[in-house]
Amino acid sequence: MTLTEKILARSAGKSHVQPGDNIWVQADVLMTHDVCGPGTIGVFKREFGAAAKVWDRKKIVIIPDHYIFTSDSRSNRNVDILREFVREQDIPYFYDVIDDPDGKWVFDSGKGNLARQYGSNYAGVCHTALPQKGHTRPGEVLFGTDSHTCMAGAFNLFATGIGNTDAGFVMGTGKLLIKVPETMHFRLEGALKPGVMAKDIILHAIGEIGFDGATYRAMQFDGPGVQSLSMDDRMTIANMAIEAGGKNGIFEFDEQTRAFVDRRCQQNGTKSSYDPVSRDADEKFVYESILDLDQLEPTVACHPDPGQRKKAKELGHIKLDRAYVGSCTGGKTTDFLEFARILRGKSVVIDTFGVPAPPEIVQDLQTIRWGDNTVWEILTGAGVQMTENAGCAACLGGPVDTFGRMNTPLKCISATNRNFPGRMGHKESQVFLASPATVAASALTGRITDPRDYLC
Ligand code: SF4
């Protein structure tokens, strides 16, 4: 069996499964956020009763992160609905925007978008918060009401996005009927060259198979090339499995995974035992590909979908209005470090926005020093508008006052993960997906630019 089949078989209490089998899978974690949480809660209450209790309060993780830093009152209200439900159900893992359990969330637009407006429990984007807060344990099944839930596959989980109706059912029963997906195999060999990042690997892979090339399939990433990839890198790759239509993305377990997971579970006091899955000799794949990391170049997915692959060096004719670094895919510490490495001592020539995914990264960037300056100071000194309000921000547009949202038809190069029309705001805007290094180089020239032109 493949890694995905092994996890699903175990979770269903079976010794063997094969693609196409319909099986009842037991959830280890159900995650929801402010956009889908209220709807999920509504389904749960409608189907199980107003006084019903969730199947396991310690297996539900609630992370407001999407439409947070906005004056839109309905968005603010969504966070309050989550808080009321958490109180009613006594759910321990709720990463609220405010510290007062009886309070109401109101964004203070008078303070502006840049200065911090969250309390001590806020955890930022759900997919980076889950591993940081110790909720991604190898070998487990994680369902989330968000399509990029597949990001947790970096930690050797079966992790997939589900809709509110399914999530309401999981909330009440802990189970879900799943069709076992076929597995596509991506063997990584070699190591990335300077200026090339994990984002380039996944943009390359999606370009190869198309934005629907993995529809309802698992994407398994393994091979010797994985050793040189950090957990941040693996998260970037697993995150975008859904951009090829994948059911999930999954990596092998190794010592790096163990070190990350053990440290985070210990730090947060979450369940620390887990049972990873490893590869079998008899895995059957529906597709096989070898990705030679040495050969990869800075890659861009052009408007209007993540499968429109081109090399950055071929796109110098595309003039840009905006650059954006952030999101679960491109807003991690290592993403910002590569972004800053290119921008250091220089100035951007187009509007450039930086949105850390979790608050912890704000702290990292404001304490890591390169010479006399913090990385945060290097970025703001280069002209980047950096917000301390970690979250999804303009990755999916959001209300009109969302930081970085494209309210007019602009061309933007972005380290995010999705570029279908309207994704970041205006429906006639165009988004070009790229690595943080390519975004940085492009912000310096105002045109899509190969970051290798700026390596020191
Ligand atoms: S950062 Fe973007 S892709 Fe990630 S969860 Fe938020 S909206 Fe979705």
Side-chain angles (χ1 to χ4, degrees):
M1 290 188 287
T2 65
L3 297 176
T4 295
E5 290 158 9
K6 287 177 84 167
I7 295 175
L8 291 178
R10 182 204 287 165
S11 179
K14 294 178 180 295
S15 59
H16 191 270
V17 296
Q18 60 186 19
D21 286 355
N22 289 302
I23 54 172
W24 283 99
V25 169
Q26 190 70 44
D28 294 293
V29 174
L30 172 68
M31 184 280 296
T32 190
H33 52 48
D34 56 299
V35 175
C36 296
T40 296
I41 291 164
V43 171
F44 168 70
K45 287 188 175 279
R46 186 186 73 210
E47 298 300 326
F48 293 89
K53 289 290 178 192
V54 298
W55 106 96
D56 189 333
R57 66 186 188 88
K58 291 188 174 168
K59 292 186 175 176
I60 292 177
V61 181
I62 301 186
I63 310 175
D65 60 349
H66 275 64
Y67 301 153
I68 306 303
F69 304 106
T70 168
S71 299
D72 181 76
S73 59
R74 283 171 298 185
S75 300
N76 299 164
R77 172 74 186 134
N78 274 358
V79 184
D80 297 336
I81 291 171
L82 298 179
R83 189 177 310 107
E84 286 159 20
F85 185 67
V86 162
R87 193 167 47 221
E88 169 196 307
Q89 299 283 335
D90 195 20
I91 290 171
Y93 301 122
F94 175 46
Y95 300 97
D96 200 355
V97 189
I98 57 173
D99 285 340
D100 179 359
D102 300 316
K104 301 273 184 216
W105 165 238
V106 181
F107 175 70
D108 183 352
S109 58
K111 284 190 186 163
N113 276 311
L114 302 184
R116 169 181 168 154
Q117 289 205 37
Y118 47 82
S120 58
N121 292 322
Y122 181 64
V125 180
C126 54
H127 308 303
T128 46
L130 282 167
Q132 280 194 339
K133 297 296 182 183
H135 299 294
T136 52
R137 280 169 294 269
E140 291 195 347
V141 171
L142 187 155
F143 293 121
T145 60
D146 189 282
S147 62
H148 294 100
T149 301
C150 52
M151 182 151 150
F155 300 89
N156 189 245
L157 283 84
F158 174 80
T160 195
I162 59 176
N164 294 357
T165 308
D166 281 352
F169 184 80
V170 175
M171 208 170 241
T173 65
K175 293 185 184 138
L176 194 61
L177 187 63
I178 290 281
K179 184 173 82 171
V180 177
E182 296 170 312
T183 297
M184 300 173 81
H185 183 212
F186 297 83
R187 177 180 164 83
L188 276 49
E189 295 184 349
L192 293 171
K193 293 267 172 55
V196 186
M197 299 183 68
K199 183 69 169 287
D200 299 303
I201 300 175
I202 189 63
L203 289 178
H204 178 86
I206 297 170
E208 201 65 28
I209 61 178
F211 74 95
D212 57 354
T215 302
Y216 208 92
R217 289 172 168 174
M219 296 174 77
Q220 178 171 316
F221 300 92
D222 57 45
V226 173
Q227 298 307 311
S228 63
L229 299 179
S230 67
M231 294 315 298
D232 275 6
D233 292 336
R234 300 177 200 186
M235 288 160 73
T236 299
I237 293 169
N239 174 289
M240 289 191 68
I242 186 60
E243 302 310 327
K247 182 72 173 166
N248 66 307
I250 191 163
F251 276 79
E252 279 187 279
F253 175 82
D254 65 8
E255 281 310 309
Q256 204 182 153
T257 324
R258 185 196 305 280
F260 186 107
V261 171
D262 289 356
R263 180 163 66 93
R264 292 299 182 163
C265 290
Q266 196 179 24
Q267 265 178 3
N268 296 289
T270 51
K271 178 173 155 260
S272 57
S273 58
Y274 55 85
D275 190 6
V277 288
S278 54
R279 297 187 62 192
D280 281 349
D282 68 346
E283 293 167 299
K284 288 193 180 58
F285 300 113
V286 70
Y287 169 93
E288 302 219 36
S289 173
I290 295 175
L291 299 177
D292 185 352
L293 306 191
D294 293 280
Q295 299 300 317
L296 294 185
E297 297 190 61
T299 301
V300 175
C302 297
H303 172 79
D305 72 66
Q308 300 296 322
R309 183 184 71 190
K310 290 269 192 316
K311 289 180 180 160
K313 67 184 184 190
E314 300 166 352
L315 298 172
H317 59 286
I318 296 185
K319 202 168 171 310
L320 300 163
D321 305 296
R322 178 168 291 197
Y324 185 99
V325 163
S327 83
C328 44
T329 320
K332 305 180 290 312
T333 300
T334 52
D335 296 314
F336 275 99
L337 294 181
E338 287 311 306
F339 185 53
R341 217 180 297 285
I342 302 279
L343 292 184
R344 189 178 185 183
K346 304 184 183 69
S347 296
V348 300
V349 299
I350 52 177
D351 280 344
T352 303
F353 296 82
V355 188
E360 195 177 294
I361 292 176
V362 176
Q363 170 97 8
D364 286 351
L365 299 177
Q366 291 181 345
T367 49
I368 298 171
R369 299 190 83 83
W370 289 352
D372 292 338
N373 298 106
T374 65
V375 174
W376 190 275
E377 288 165 345
I378 287 167
L379 289 168
T380 54
V384 180
Q385 299 176 56
M386 292 291 298
T387 179
E388 293 182 331
N389 290 319
C392 296
C395 172
L396 82 162
V400 287
D401 59 347
T402 300
F403 183 70
R405 186 185 194 275
M406 292 202 283
N407 291 329
T408 52
L410 304 174
K411 280 200 178 88
C412 175
I413 188 151
S414 177
T416 55
N417 49 30
R418 188 168 280 171
N419 63 342
F420 296 109
R423 169 69 179 181
M424 292 183 72
H426 198 284
K427 65 177 192 283
E428 285 162 26
S429 58
Q430 296 187 14
V431 176
F432 297 81
L433 304 175
S435 74
T438 301
V439 173
S442 304
L444 292 174
T445 62
R447 296 178 181 275
I448 295 180
T449 301
D450 189 321
R452 294 173 298 183
D453 297 347
Y454 286 90
L455 295 180
C456 303

